[in-house]
Amino acid sequence: MNLFEHHISTKNAQQMTKVTNMVREDVARSGVKDGIIVVYSPHTTAGFTINENADPDVVHDMLAGFEEVFPLEAPFYRHAEGNSHAHIKTAVTGASQTLILNDGEILLGIWQDLYFCEYDGPRNRTFFVKIMEG
């Protein structure tokens, strides 16, 4: 079975953590050379994005931009838990990403990595990686 489960502990209220190498390890364990990889977060306040890996200011700017557009507090938020901003940010980035696996390699651009996006931390999170041959 090519379903892998990962646990990640986030340290900040909002952060982006590179998880590309975790997925690469799953690919190696699976033995699959060609197919599709789906990474999925079962959380409503955390998700995934693919973005630049070279300049850490990009992650900073993304989180700052999300906060500008979807602030921690807004007068129109009604959700009792007080984390409406995190739900909206997750809806924008998405709970999953699909990757192409070709000849045993994940097809990413030279400046790309896969990031787990925490919007309501710190928390202990779980995410899943499904590798399908084909």
Side-chain angles (χ1 to χ4, degrees):
M1 182 174 197
N2 295 316
L3 178 65
F4 301 90
E5 182 175 334
H6 294 277
H7 302 279
I8 187 168
S9 294
T10 61
K11 308 228 179 315
N12 300 311
Q14 299 181 67
Q15 73 182 59
M16 293 171 58
T17 305
K18 291 180 190 177
V19 295
T20 312
N21 286 338
M22 296 168 82
V23 177
R24 285 187 174 119
E25 291 171 8
D26 295 340
V27 168
R29 282 193 291 269
S30 76
V32 175
K33 296 294 182 195
D34 295 287
I36 297 292
I37 303 165
V38 177
V39 292
Y40 170 71
S41 166
H43 307 288
T44 60
T45 57
F48 287 97
T49 191
I50 297 170
N51 218 296
E52 181 173 331
N53 61 17
D55 185 346
D57 286 338
V58 171
V59 167
H60 170 272
D61 293 350
M62 287 183 62
L63 292 173
F66 278 142
E67 189 60 28
E68 179 77 18
V69 177
F70 311 113
L72 181 65
E73 295 180 14
F76 55 85
Y77 291 161
R78 294 170 54 172
H79 183 49
E81 291 181 15
N83 61 355
S84 292
H85 70 100
H87 290 279
I88 296 168
K89 291 168 187 169
T90 300
V92 169
T93 54
S96 67
Q97 289 286 323
T98 302
L99 305 163
I100 298 171
L101 180 61
N102 184 62
D103 199 24
E105 298 291 328
I106 301 170
L107 292 184
L108 288 169
I110 191 167
W111 306 116
Q112 290 181 319
D113 261 312
L114 175 67
Y115 291 87
F116 180 84
C117 302
E118 172 66 71
Y119 300 119
D120 194 29
R123 292 186 185 252
N124 293 317
R125 301 290 198 169
T126 300
F127 70 90
F128 296 93
V129 177
K130 179 68 175 177
I131 302 171
M132 297 164 281
E133 193 165 13

